[in-house]
Amino acid sequence: MTDSEHQHDPVAVAVELERMRGTLEAGFARVDGALALLVQRSDQTDKQLADMESRLDSLERSRWPLASIAALTASAGVFLAVWEMSGR
């Protein structure tokens, strides 16, 4: 058979189509596996992010307000300066 006859042979076409089908199925299986892994990692990342946000919220609630500390320190400094200037 020549190449031209081989291209029109229904059996050869069917064999080639079946080979291509197998190749596509294997490729899709690899892509499906990779996507499943990415979804799993994304879920883990979401859980870690939620945990970190919760921990950050907890830290922010428990910390001293820096602005209040600065105001108290400044007030104490002014008080000490006035007290020293008054001669006591």
Side-chain angles (χ1 to χ4, degrees):
M1 268 190 204
T2 64
D3 285 340
S4 155
E5 290 172 346
H6 194 311
Q7 290 175 348
H8 298 292
D9 179 19
V11 174
V13 170
V15 168
E16 185 62 23
L17 286 173
E18 186 59 32
R19 187 190 66 75
M20 291 172 63
R21 180 176 165 249
T23 301
L24 283 172
E25 285 179 355
F28 283 135
R30 283 192 304 273
V31 169
D32 284 345
L35 287 175
L37 181 61
L38 288 173
V39 168
Q40 180 185 16
R41 287 181 180 171
S42 176
D43 290 345
Q44 290 172 349
T45 301
D46 288 346
K47 288 176 186 175
Q48 289 174 344
L49 181 59
D51 179 53
M52 292 294 183
E53 286 176 347
S54 172
R55 291 171 63 192
L56 180 60
D57 288 345
S58 175
L59 285 172
E60 287 176 342
R61 280 191 303 271
S62 66
R63 71 176 174 88
W64 281 68
L66 294 179
S68 299
I69 293 172
L72 287 174
T73 304
S75 298
V78 169
F79 174 75
L80 286 175
V82 170
W83 185 65
E84 284 184 6
M85 289 177 71
S86 67
R88 298 205 173 208

